[in-house]
């Protein structure tokens, strides 16, 4: 599989650059979806469906008619970022950029599909492989749902025994892979809160109640939750990202709006964070104020299945013996692939993709980029994992 993947490196680069030049935001991946479907339709034996759960979702299926089923997931959406690279294939959609590696994820998924298509045609494997090209990993819609839950509700995992995926990791060099059992990425919750007072004239604050003043102890309490209410052995974050209030310097507002994010690994810690945030806001009642809090869950914590990870490790050891496997969590970022691993045993690995020129190109930044040599590496690891799983099962 490694030799085949390296042989198709030019195709992988071409696909990645095409996809990179046409980035589209969550639930808007129209041209992206068309391109992915067109490549899949060229593969002999591939059954292609569009609009499974979401209008832009694409599902490709290879099957021998019997045996186990494994799914390979690749996300498709881009971010609202102005690209600052000098590539001739940079984004043609101003203000939208593939700054999280989804262009690479899709190219790798297409490469795995093409190589496995040949394996099925040659009778080398038995079973079924589903390629899930998923929209809207980055942003939930007005109903609070990203793309994965919609595809799951549409039944894409009903007959699936295992599901796998990968992610670009620009903080790691090519040749480094993160593989971690159990909780590896965060529960993601968004909170919207409001602190209410009466407001009043800026010259006479004693005649009313001031929500701006009340916010001081509330913020102090919020930022003390992780350090004083959560065990140091547990990972957790509460961050305030937006505070809005007032329209004039001499008018005390009657309301302060607060928005932020809550991150954790363990479900019990998640519940505790919610309860402590409620307590922190309730402090305003001591000062004759009031509050409202809404917490919206987005993604659960990514729980990587140890058995699937063991297969990843064996594949990497056998076909990339020079690679370094890092057994560490991936951080408190969110990943809606976690919805899929709640339904079916699965795992995601993080693949080092640093360009290697000493410059920092982090995820979700205007300068993000990858070393394209990572593309055949990703194809070889996912493709070989699929083949071994089908043969072992």
């Amino acid at each position: 599989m490694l030799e085949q993947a390296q042989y198709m490196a030019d195709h992988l680069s071409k696909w990645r650059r095409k996809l990179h030049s046409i980035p589209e935001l969550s639930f808007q991946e129209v041209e992206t979806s068309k391109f992915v479907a067109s490549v899949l339709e060229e593969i002999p034996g591939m059954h292609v469906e569009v609009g499974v759960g979401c209008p832009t979702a694409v599902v490709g299926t290879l099957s021998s008619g019997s045996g186990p089923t494994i799914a390979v997931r690749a996300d498709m959406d881009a971010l609202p970022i102005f690209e600052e690279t000098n590539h001739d294939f940079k984004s043609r959609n101003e203000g939208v950029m593939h700054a999280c590696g989804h262009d690479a994820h899709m190219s790798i998924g297409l490469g795995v599909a093409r190589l496995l298509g040949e394996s099925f045609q040659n009778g080398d494997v038995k079973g079924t492989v589903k390629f899930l090209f998923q929209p809207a990993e980055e942003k939930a819609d007005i109903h609070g749902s990203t793309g994965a839950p919609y595809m799951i509700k549409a039944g894409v995992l009903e007959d699936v025994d295992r599901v796998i995926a990968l992610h670009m990791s620009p903080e790691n060099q090519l040749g480094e892979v993160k593989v971690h059992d159990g909780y590896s990425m965060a529960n993601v919750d968004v909170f919207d809160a409001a602190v209410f007072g009466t407001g009043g004239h800026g010259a006479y604050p004693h005649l009313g109640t001031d929500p701006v003043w009340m916010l001081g102890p509330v913020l102090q309490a919020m930022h003390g939750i992780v350090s004083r209410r959560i065990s140091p052995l547990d990972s957790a974050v509460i961050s305030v990202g937006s505070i809005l209030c007032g329209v004039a310097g001499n008018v005390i507002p009657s309301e302060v709006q607060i928005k932020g994010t809550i991150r954790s690994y363990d479900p019990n810690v998640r519940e505790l964070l919610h309860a402590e945030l409620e307590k922190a806001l309730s402090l305003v009642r001591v000062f004759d104020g009031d509050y409202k809090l809404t917490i919206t869950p987005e993604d659960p914590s990514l729980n990587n299945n140890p058995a699937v990870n063991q297969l990843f490790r064996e594949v990497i050891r056998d076909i990339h013996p020079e690679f370094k496997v890092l057994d560490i969590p991936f951080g408190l970022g969110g990943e809606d692939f976690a919805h899929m691993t709640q339904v079916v045993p699965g795992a995601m690995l993080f693949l080092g993709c640093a360009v290697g020129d000493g410059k920092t190109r982090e995820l979700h930044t205007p300068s993000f980029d990858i070393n394209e040599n990572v593309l055949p590496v990703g194809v070889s690891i996912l493709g070989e994992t699929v083949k071994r799983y089908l043969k072992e099962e």
Side-chain angles (χ1 to χ4, degrees):
M1 183 65 76
L2 175 58
E3 184 177 345
Q4 294 170 289
Q6 290 173 334
Y7 183 75
M8 68 183 306
D10 287 345
H11 279 292
L12 297 171
S13 177
K14 180 180 177 181
W15 292 335
R16 182 253 167 169
R17 295 182 181 195
K18 168 66 176 179
L19 291 163
H20 188 88
S21 71
I22 57 167
E24 296 167 296
L25 297 176
S26 302
F27 297 105
Q28 300 175 31
E29 310 90 340
V30 176
E31 295 303 315
T32 301
S33 176
K34 289 179 181 177
F35 179 79
V36 167
S38 69
V39 175
L40 291 176
E41 286 166 354
E42 295 175 354
I43 300 172
M46 181 73 71
H47 175 65
V48 181
E49 300 173 90
V50 178
V52 183
C54 298
T56 53
V58 182
V59 177
T61 305
L62 292 169
S63 182
S64 67
S66 61
T69 300
I70 184 170
V72 179
R73 178 270 204 169
D75 37 13
M76 302 197 298
D77 54 332
L79 289 156
I81 292 175
F82 286 86
E83 183 167 357
E84 295 180 1
T85 72
N86 295 317
H87 294 310
D88 57 6
F89 56 88
K90 69 184 296 184
S91 172
R92 299 202 302 263
N93 298 331
E94 188 174 5
V96 184
M97 177 189 176
H98 272 299
C100 199
H102 295 187
D103 50 344
H105 303 169
M106 288 184 282
S107 301
I108 290 170
L110 292 172
V112 174
R114 177 169 286 191
L115 292 189
L116 287 173
E118 295 175 3
S119 296
F120 272 89
Q121 290 293 305
N122 297 332
D124 295 338
V125 290
K126 300 292 184 183
T128 300
V129 186
K130 299 179 77 170
F131 298 92
L132 311 179
F133 289 88
Q134 178 214 303
E137 188 278 326
E138 297 288 357
K139 183 175 174 57
D141 63 8
I142 59 173
H143 304 294
S145 182
T146 51
Y150 283 121
M151 294 187 74
I152 293 169
K153 289 177 184 176
V156 296
L157 295 180
E158 288 180 358
D159 55 350
V160 172
D161 302 301
R162 298 288 185 273
V163 60
I164 60 174
L166 55 68
H167 201 292
M168 296 293 102
S169 183
E171 66 187 58
N172 296 104
Q173 298 299 315
L174 185 66
E176 295 178 331
V177 189
K178 290 180 182 176
V179 181
H180 184 261
D181 295 346
Y183 295 121
S184 304
M185 295 189 77
N187 296 299
V188 179
D189 300 309
V190 175
F191 71 86
D192 287 273
V195 174
F196 304 107
T198 62
H201 196 299
Y204 309 102
H206 59 290
L207 299 179
T209 54
D210 184 353
V212 179
W213 170 63
M214 297 176 200
L215 187 62
V218 168
L219 288 176
Q220 186 176 21
M222 280 186 186
H223 290 138
I225 291 172
V226 171
S227 63
R228 287 296 176 264
R229 301 297 293 162
I230 304 299
S231 167
L233 301 178
D234 291 317
S235 298
V237 164
I238 293 181
S239 291
V240 175
S242 174
I243 298 175
L244 299 174
C245 65
V247 293
N250 63 346
V251 178
I252 297 172
S254 61
E255 178 180 341
V256 177
Q257 297 178 355
I258 314 159
K259 297 178 184 291
T261 188
I262 308 169
R263 305 293 173 106
S264 60
Y265 280 160
D266 187 279
N268 294 322
V269 173
R270 187 184 202 180
E271 291 183 12
L272 180 58
L273 289 169
H274 292 188
E276 291 296 327
L277 184 58
E278 188 89 35
K279 288 181 184 178
L281 281 158
S282 70
L283 286 173
V284 302
R285 289 177 175 163
V286 177
F287 307 109
D288 297 323
D290 206 349
Y291 75 93
K292 179 181 180 181
L293 172 64
T294 302
I295 299 175
T296 305
E298 286 196 351
D299 298 327
S301 181
L302 173 63
N303 193 359
N304 285 323
N305 181 272
V308 177
N309 270 344
Q310 183 57 32
L311 187 53
F312 277 152
R313 294 186 180 100
E314 292 172 2
V315 167
I316 295 167
R317 179 196 64 204
D318 292 345
I319 67 175
H320 295 286
E322 75 284 6
F323 275 30
K324 183 178 182 180
V325 177
L326 307 172
D327 186 4
I328 55 176
F330 307 153
L332 285 172
E335 172 56 66
D336 85 336
F337 179 66
H339 291 280
M340 295 190 177
T341 61
Q342 281 193 323
V343 178
V344 173
M348 169 181 280
L349 59 83
F350 267 56
L351 200 54
C353 66
V355 174
D357 60 359
K359 296 181 180 179
T360 301
R361 295 181 172 87
E362 297 295 343
L363 297 168
H364 291 216
T365 64
S367 61
F368 174 77
D369 201 1
I370 66 168
N371 180 342
E372 286 193 337
N373 290 324
V374 75
L375 300 176
V377 170
V379 172
S380 66
I381 293 174
L382 291 191
E384 184 64 24
T385 298
V386 170
K387 288 185 71 173
R388 290 195 186 187
Y389 175 75
L390 295 179
K391 288 182 177 180
E392 289 176 5
E393 292 300 307

